[in-house]
Amino acid sequence: MKKKSQSKFENIATRITCWTGSSLAFGIAVGVVLTWIISGPFFHYSDTWQLVINTGTTIVTFLMVFLIQKSQNKDGKAIQLKLNELIAASRHASNRMVDIEDLTELELDVLHKYYAKLSEKAEADDDIHKSHSIDKANQEANTRQVLNGNDISNANNGDDVLGLSPAKVENK
C-alpha cells in the first residue's frame, strides 16, 4: 500500500512524538533538571528560579498532551482497522464486532456480558478447541429448552434464551 502524503501537522507530530520517546530526549530532560538543580544556589533558590522550571515543564507538558493524543488517536484507528480486517477474514468470527468502537458504554457492557457468558460456556466445555458464538449458544439453549419441554415462545421468539440479544445492541 502506497503511503499517502501526510499533513504538515501530522508529519511534525509524528516526528516529535518519536523523538520525545527516545533515550536522547530523556537524557536531555534529565540534564535540564540537573542544570536547574545545580543552578539553585547561584540564584539563591529564588522565586524566579522556581518559576523557570515550573513554567518550562508546564508548557512542555501542555503541548505534549496534544501530540500524544494525536499519536494515540492514529494508533487506535490503525489497530481498529487491523482488528476489523481479522474479523472480516475469519469465517468463524462475528461481523457484529466490526466498528463496535462506535457503540455507547452501555452497549459495550451488553456485549461484555455476552462474552462473559460465552467464556463461562467455553470453560465448562470439555473440548478446549470447540468454538462458541452468541448465535450458537442461543441455538443450543433453545434446543435444550425444547428438549426439556419448556415453552420458548415467550423468550423473544426463542432468539434470546441467554438473556442477551445482539439485536438489542444492533438496534441502538
Side-chain angles (χ1 to χ4, degrees):
M1 178 180 261
K2 278 192 172 182
K3 214 176 192 182
K4 300 274 182 181
S5 63
Q6 297 177 339
S7 70
K8 278 188 176 183
F9 174 71
E10 188 172 350
N11 195 12
I12 291 169
T14 301
R15 287 183 181 185
I16 291 173
T17 303
C18 288
W19 182 80
T20 56
S22 71
S23 299
L24 176 63
F26 180 76
I28 290 172
V30 168
V32 168
V33 171
L34 288 175
T35 302
W36 173 77
I37 291 171
I38 293 169
S39 69
F42 299 112
F43 294 102
H44 307 289
Y45 301 103
S46 67
D47 289 343
T48 304
W49 174 78
Q50 292 178 27
L51 188 61
V52 166
I53 197 71
N54 288 339
T55 304
T57 56
T58 300
I59 290 169
V60 169
T61 301
F62 179 75
L63 295 175
M64 287 305 298
V65 164
F66 296 102
L67 289 175
I68 291 168
Q69 187 62 51
K70 169 75 173 149
S71 177
Q72 286 182 335
N73 288 348
K74 182 178 174 185
D75 288 348
K77 278 185 184 179
I79 288 169
Q80 288 303 321
L81 290 170
K82 289 176 183 180
L83 290 172
N84 289 346
E85 175 63 16
L86 290 173
I87 290 169
S90 174
R91 66 184 177 105
H92 296 294
S94 171
N95 287 332
R96 290 183 186 124
M97 296 296 109
V98 174
D99 290 336
I100 65 168
E101 63 274 7
D102 296 331
L103 297 178
T104 67
E105 192 76 28
L106 292 173
E107 292 168 333
L108 290 172
D109 289 343
V110 169
L111 282 172
H112 181 266
K113 288 178 185 175
Y114 267 123
Y115 286 99
K117 282 271 193 200
L118 290 177
S119 176
E120 290 171 15
K121 184 172 176 52
E123 287 176 12
D125 203 341
D126 293 335
D127 183 6
I128 63 169
H129 299 290
K130 186 173 180 183
S131 178
H132 296 281
S133 71
I134 297 165
D135 296 329
K136 186 72 173 171
N138 276 330
Q139 187 179 43
E140 287 178 9
N142 284 340
T143 303
R144 279 193 304 273
Q145 281 195 352
V146 169
L147 292 174
N148 292 335
N150 294 335
D151 181 20
I152 64 168
S153 61
N154 294 330
N156 293 331
N157 296 325
D159 291 337
D160 185 21
V161 175
L162 294 178
L164 301 165
S165 171
K168 290 178 186 174
V169 174
E170 290 174 353
N171 292 332
K172 293 202 177 205

